[in-house]
């Protein structure tokens, strides 16, 4: 089948085998998909499963989707997906909260798709900014923002990935 809008599918639990046009893959763990408006697709799930399915306004296709509709979720999108799943199951957000949550998820998907092929994670982006702007006195907030993270999350993730603090 196909839709008149873009659709993103993000994994929460389980596996979804999916074919979009000529591309095939599985949605699970850290693998998501964006199905472009009008793209023919078929899917099959295995066992118990949960996914976040986000219908998005049609717009220009990010260049990454020209290579493959499948993309890697970075750590921030994994955490956002888990949070969204919990909130949607509890029903505590209400319509306005769900609208804003959908906007956050859509924005994060766009940023994941904008990463170069092979993906550049948030810590690699932050290190790149620190190297490129080494002569400036960057604040932790500026570097965290470049990584797409909050300051405390950036600090924790930086230390976990590098074994050092970012300061």
């Amino acid at each position: 089948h196909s839709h008149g809008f873009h659709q993103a599918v993000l994994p929460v639990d389980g596996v979804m085998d999916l074919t979009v046009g000529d591309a095939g893959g599985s949605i699970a763990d850290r693998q998501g998909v964006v199905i472009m408006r009008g793209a023919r697709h078929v899917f099959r799930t295995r066992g118990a499963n949960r996914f976040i399915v986000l219908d998005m306004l049609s717009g220009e296709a990010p260049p990454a989707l020209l290579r493959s509709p499948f993309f890697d979720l970075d750590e921030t999108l994994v955490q956002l997906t888990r949070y969204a799943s919990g909130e949607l199951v509890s029903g505590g957000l209400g319509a306005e909260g769900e609208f804003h949550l959908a906007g956050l998820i859509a924005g994060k998907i766009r940023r994941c798709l904008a990463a170069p092929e092979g993906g550049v994670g948030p810590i690699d982006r932050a290190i790149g900014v620190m190297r490129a702007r080494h002569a400036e006195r960057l604040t932790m907030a500026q570097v965290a923002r470049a990584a797409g993270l909050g300051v405390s999350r950036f600090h924790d993730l930086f230390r976990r990935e590098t074994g050092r603090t970012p300061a």
Side-chain angles (χ1 to χ4, degrees):
H1 68 276
S2 63
H3 306 284
F5 47 85
H6 302 323
Q7 190 173 66
V9 182
L10 304 173
V12 177
D13 291 311
V15 177
M16 177 188 295
D17 297 318
L18 183 70
T19 302
V20 181
D22 294 331
S26 295
I27 307 307
D29 300 321
R30 294 176 167 265
Q31 182 81 33
V33 69
V34 174
I35 304 163
M36 298 303 293
R37 176 179 45 88
R40 304 248 341 125
H41 58 284
V42 295
F43 65 92
R44 181 183 54 129
T45 59
R46 297 184 244 158
N49 59 72
R50 284 188 305 149
F51 303 91
I52 294 206
V53 179
L54 180 64
D55 297 340
M56 303 185 309
L57 295 175
S58 296
E60 185 176 323
L65 292 178
L66 300 176
R67 293 188 301 272
S68 172
F70 299 93
F71 69 97
D72 294 328
L73 282 67
D74 67 10
E75 182 62 24
T76 305
L77 186 52
V78 169
Q79 294 299 324
L80 183 57
T81 301
R82 288 182 185 146
Y83 169 77
S85 175
E87 288 296 328
L88 293 170
V89 166
S90 74
L93 289 177
E96 185 176 346
E98 288 176 10
F99 174 80
H100 291 294
L101 181 59
L104 287 171
I105 294 169
K108 184 58 185 159
I109 290 170
R110 281 191 295 276
R111 289 189 299 281
C112 281
L113 292 172
E117 189 169 353
V120 174
I123 301 308
D124 290 332
R125 281 194 306 276
I127 291 170
V129 167
M130 289 187 281
R131 285 183 177 146
R133 298 174 60 188
H134 69 276
E136 297 176 43
R137 291 185 61 97
L138 296 172
T139 67
M140 185 76 69
Q142 288 172 308
V143 177
R145 193 174 319 116
L149 302 169
V151 173
S152 61
R153 178 77 181 125
F154 167 71
H155 190 273
D156 292 343
L157 192 58
F158 190 97
R159 190 160 73 200
R160 185 178 325 138
E161 288 190 21
T162 67
R164 302 168 47 180
T165 65

